[in-house]
Amino acid sequence: MEHIIPMEYYLVVSSIMFFAGIYGFITRKNLIAVLISVELVLTSTDINFAVFNRFLFPQHLEGMFFTLFSIGVSAAETAVAIAIIINIYRNIKSTEVRNLKNLKD
Amino acid sequence: MDFSGFLLMRDEISLVALILILLLYDLFAPAKARKAFQPVACLLFVVQIAITLLPTAADHAFGGMYVNTPVASVVKTLMSAGTLLVFLFSKKWLEEKHEIAQGEFYFLTLSTLLGMYFMVSSGHFLMFYLGIELASIPLACLVAFSKKDIFSAEAGAKFILNASFASGVSLFGMSLLYGGTGTLYFSDMPIALTGTPLQIAGMILFATGLFFKMSLIPYHSWTADVYQGAPTQVSAYLSVVSKTAAAVTLFTIFFKVFGVMAESWKPVLYIIIILSITIANVFAIRQKNIKRFLAYSSISQAGYIVLGVMAASPQGLTGVVYYMMVYMFANIAAFGVAALVERQCGNTEISSYNGLYKTNPWLSVLMMFALFSLAGIPPFAGFFSKFFIFASAVQQGYYILVLIALLNTIISLYYYLLIVRAMFITPNDNPLPNFRSDNYSRIAMVVCFFGIVLSGIVSFFYNKFDEMAKESMEVCEYSMPKATDGTANGIATAAFDGQTAEAASGDASAATATTAMNATAPWPSTQE
């Protein structure tokens, strides 16, 4: 009991993941890399839910269930995103963000 | 086991049944029977809409996960009706361009509709999250529906990446709310909300998902690109049905869950409304493409809708629902005409509307009515919807905000009239030749026409919605203090009242809740 890792340590990790994901989403130049950044954001949330549940509200498993659902949904999201990126690759033979310039003001 | 909860979900179950029937029909029907796929699908969908029209009891099921209110029920009917209109407009397009994939179009669209149903009547953040995801993942497939078209694929990529990013941020907000309150039920959360910085951060991050769905500025950057690249019918669906679900959910959650923190979110909405209406209007003026133009117009319309959320009163809820109905007819008519013209001339430039009145008078008149209704010119329904939503905001004392919105209505009149001028006045030596639309589009156009003209004058709709909104607000109040023995609610009440928590310090859970984010808190025994 004395040697348990404090909750903040987990939260620091998840916050770093969250902001790294946001940073990556804005700066990455490749669609796949952007997708990976989005995954970082989604995963950081899973850590948050699990940690809050374990440390603050251990009587219920609400947070754990939320994590399970969120993992499943983010997998579906990634599958669709990958399918669309493959479709783009078939059309223009590239997945670079700068080549997606047909639609703009 | 008790199955009575399922009876309450009649709307959802009928929709699931419809989806399964259409899926099996598309898979197993012989080639000859598949020719009748679209008429059959539309007819069955009419039956489903009739089922949603039956009055339902205001109640909750599955331990409060699913909440049915009269307004949720009427909103579901509206969303179904909007989807049916989109289906009618897309029949010819599917036959010409996507013969094989027409079943998939229906399947995907109805799946997103199911997600929106769950969004509207969710009573728990998990339910809401699943609903919003079910509403956005198949929508990305719809946006990228034209596989050979790079515009469509690009729009799809922009949509899915932005949508998952927004939902990730929203999810992070939910996790902070969970950490700050210990519950995810809409009905339990208000008691635990005390306005700590953690809870405010969670609320703002959470709202991102809904703001994104409604494409309010600053969450709008995807809108114009996606609307332009997506097939026109899908853009119509995105701009109407998806927005309706998000607007009503936004109202429900901000009123029911975050109502106690109103002084924290009202300034945020205040700024967002002004930004959305003003910036979108300025951008709409300089558009040369009809779909981008309608995208910016829909952003500013979303800003007006949020005025009703600002009001946070029964009148505001009525205003939101009524506005969505009127907006649905007008916007689907505008997108429908755009789709018909696009099929004839192959592009979506505003210049191809020059002189349209000479060759296609009826189409031009419908477009004009739709644009007048969107702008809010008196005899049309758009005037009444704007009037009611402004009235609800004025009633709560937001005079300056309503003044800014009114000034923006005048600006919007200018750019809506630009298109009317192109159709009626601008001379054109070779305008688009006269063409006949298919019967399905005609039915949809007639429905939209009567919707635009009648839904304003006939006071039945507004009175009905008003009645339902009042009833639903009562439901919100009665479901608030839901006594469950000890557990989550116990924590919530303890966190709400510091003294109680100290008094009950014997209870480990209560002590944890008050020291939720306190670094030096003694961690409770989590082993057992």
Side-chain angles (χ1 to χ4, degrees):
Chain A
M1 189 59 213
E2 261 72 61
H3 304 293
I4 194 164
I5 302 170
M7 184 175 77
E8 289 74 41
Y9 289 32
Y10 292 102
L11 293 184
V12 165
V13 171
S14 81
S15 301
I16 290 174
M17 276 172 75
F18 180 70
F19 287 107
I22 290 182
Y23 178 77
F25 183 77
I26 297 167
T27 53
R28 292 289 102 186
K29 300 275 189 281
N30 189 300
L31 284 175
I32 303 284
V34 174
L35 183 62
I36 293 170
S37 310
V38 172
E39 284 304 308
L40 267 183
V41 171
L42 290 167
T43 318
S44 74
T45 319
D46 298 342
I47 297 178
N48 256 4
F49 268 114
V51 167
F52 281 138
N53 192 341
R54 170 86 159 71
F55 283 91
L56 296 182
F57 315 105
Q59 311 86 348
H60 292 282
L61 286 175
E62 240 178 346
M64 298 288 180
F65 282 128
F66 209 118
T67 308
L68 285 180
F69 275 100
S70 144
I71 291 170
V73 168
S74 63
E77 222 158 34
T78 317
V80 170
I82 291 275
I84 290 173
I85 292 171
I86 289 174
N87 196 17
I88 285 180
Y89 184 78
R90 281 202 184 128
N91 275 302
I92 60 172
K93 296 281 172 273
S94 156
T95 56
E96 296 292 309
V97 173
R98 67 187 148 83
N99 291 331
L100 294 179
K101 53 192 174 189
N102 293 311
L103 304 167
K104 61 182 176 191
D105 263 322
Chain B
M1 200 180 154
D2 185 21
F3 291 104
S4 62
F6 287 105
L7 286 176
L8 202 63
M9 304 172 68
R10 201 175 45 206
D11 301 346
E12 281 80 8
I13 288 176
S14 59
L15 188 60
V16 170
L18 175 66
I19 292 173
L20 290 179
I21 291 171
L22 291 184
L23 183 67
L24 293 176
Y25 184 20
D26 188 45
L27 270 177
F28 295 116
K32 221 174 215 168
R34 280 198 64 215
K35 285 221 160 49
F37 180 80
Q38 302 209 44
V40 170
C42 289
L43 273 180
L44 286 174
F45 199 33
V46 171
V47 174
Q48 196 268 338
I49 293 174
I51 292 173
T52 62
L53 274 174
L54 298 172
T56 39
D59 204 358
H60 48 80
F62 304 108
M65 277 259 190
Y66 175 91
V67 181
N68 196 20
T69 58
V71 161
S73 172
V74 81
V75 167
K76 285 172 196 168
T77 312
L78 280 183
M79 290 194 295
S80 287
T83 315
L84 180 64
L85 288 176
V86 172
F87 281 169
L88 291 175
F89 272 121
S90 43
K91 172 163 191 288
K92 197 79 183 172
W93 162 70
L94 283 173
E95 270 173 6
E96 278 172 5
K97 294 250 173 81
H98 302 280
E99 251 252 74
I100 299 165
Q102 46 179 290
E104 290 159 31
F105 179 79
Y106 282 76
F107 180 67
L108 290 170
T109 315
L110 291 174
S111 304
T112 61
L113 187 63
L114 183 68
M116 288 164 201
Y117 272 25
F118 280 121
M119 241 169 99
V120 168
S121 44
S122 54
H124 186 277
F125 278 101
L126 178 57
M127 201 71 205
F128 166 79
Y129 174 67
L130 292 179
I132 202 168
E133 287 301 319
L134 185 53
S136 65
I137 296 175
L139 207 47
C141 307
L142 282 175
V143 171
F145 199 70
S146 307
K147 275 198 287 188
K148 301 267 161 53
D149 182 8
I150 178 62
F151 284 84
S152 184
E154 184 180 328
K158 282 178 175 168
F159 183 76
I160 185 74
L161 289 175
N162 279 308
S164 29
F165 182 65
S167 79
V169 174
S170 172
L171 205 56
F172 197 79
M174 281 185 225
S175 76
L176 295 188
L177 282 171
Y178 177 63
T181 62
T183 178
L184 285 165
Y185 283 98
F186 288 177
S187 48
D188 291 343
M189 197 171 268
I191 316 164
L193 286 175
T194 46
T196 59
L198 178 76
Q199 290 168 348
I200 294 176
M203 178 184 73
I204 300 298
L205 290 178
F206 161 74
T208 307
L210 282 169
F211 290 158
F212 171 86
K213 272 246 161 245
M214 286 187 76
S215 60
L216 293 163
I217 289 175
Y219 307 95
H220 70 293
S221 49
W222 61 281
T223 318
D225 287 359
V226 170
Y227 282 26
Q228 189 193 347
T232 311
Q233 286 80 359
V234 176
S235 308
Y237 184 77
L238 260 173
S239 76
V240 177
V241 183
S242 166
K243 227 166 236 197
T244 309
V248 176
T249 319
L250 187 74
F251 188 97
T252 321
I253 292 180
F254 271 35
F255 178 78
K256 201 169 152 184
V257 184
F258 300 123
V260 285
M261 285 161 70
E263 72 278 13
S264 309
W265 57 259
K266 288 220 162 154
V268 177
L269 282 193
Y270 202 101
I271 296 167
I272 283 182
I273 291 172
I274 294 177
L275 284 180
S276 305
I277 299 179
T278 317
I279 296 181
N281 273 351
V282 174
F283 273 90
I285 292 174
R286 50 184 283 269
Q287 295 308 319
K288 298 274 179 286
N289 183 305
I290 187 92
K291 279 157 89 176
R292 288 190 86 84
F293 165 81
L294 285 171
Y296 281 109
S297 122
S298 86
I299 296 174
S300 81
Q301 300 282 347
Y304 293 121
I305 293 159
V306 181
L307 272 175
V309 181
M310 262 306 255
S313 60
Q315 211 187 350
L317 181 57
T318 319
V320 170
V321 178
Y322 183 68
Y323 200 106
M324 288 323 302
M325 183 182 80
V326 170
Y327 171 71
M328 177 185 91
F329 287 124
N331 222 30
I332 289 186
F335 270 108
V337 174
L340 292 173
V341 171
E342 184 189 0
R343 200 162 65 225
Q344 290 305 313
C345 67
N347 67 53
T348 51
E349 298 302 311
I350 290 179
S351 56
S352 49
Y353 287 76
N354 288 348
L356 190 71
Y357 176 69
K358 289 239 166 53
T359 50
N360 296 289
W362 287 109
L363 219 53
S364 315
V365 167
L366 178 69
M367 188 70 161
M368 182 183 78
F369 277 26
L371 294 174
F372 280 1
S373 182
L374 286 173
I377 291 178
F380 302 105
F383 168 74
F384 297 97
S385 63
K386 278 212 173 65
F387 174 78
F388 287 128
I389 217 146
F390 287 170
S392 72
V394 164
Q395 208 182 32
Q396 304 296 319
Y398 298 111
Y399 296 108
I400 297 170
L401 189 61
V402 171
L403 180 72
I404 293 171
L406 277 174
L407 289 178
N408 273 291
T409 325
I410 300 165
I411 301 176
S412 72
L413 193 58
Y414 168 72
Y415 62 73
Y416 287 124
L417 285 179
L418 280 182
I419 302 207
V420 177
R421 190 190 68 178
M423 289 188 303
F424 285 82
I425 299 171
T426 311
N428 191 355
D429 292 336
N430 46 348
L432 206 61
N434 184 17
F435 63 88
R436 287 176 66 83
S437 358
D438 58 307
N439 290 335
Y440 286 82
S441 302
R442 284 181 175 192
I443 297 171
M445 284 193 282
V446 169
V447 173
C448 287
F449 181 84
F450 282 110
I452 292 166
V453 176
L454 291 181
S455 58
I457 304 168
V458 181
S459 60
F460 165 79
F461 295 109
Y462 186 80
N463 291 337
K464 193 81 190 153
F465 294 162
D466 198 37
E467 211 175 278
M468 287 172 165
K470 289 206 177 92
E471 235 175 280
S472 308
M473 292 304 219
E474 281 160 23
V475 174
C476 285
E477 268 148 34
Y478 96 79
S479 64
M480 250 186 204
K482 199 160 79 348
T484 49
D485 26 350
T487 52
N489 211 18
I491 300 169
T493 22
F496 183 62
D497 191 344
Q499 282 82 21
T500 327
E502 269 167 17
S505 55
D507 186 21
S509 66
T512 345
T514 39
T515 54
M517 287 308 291
N518 193 338
T520 54
W523 303 116
S525 162
T526 52
Q527 266 65 37
E528 268 77 50

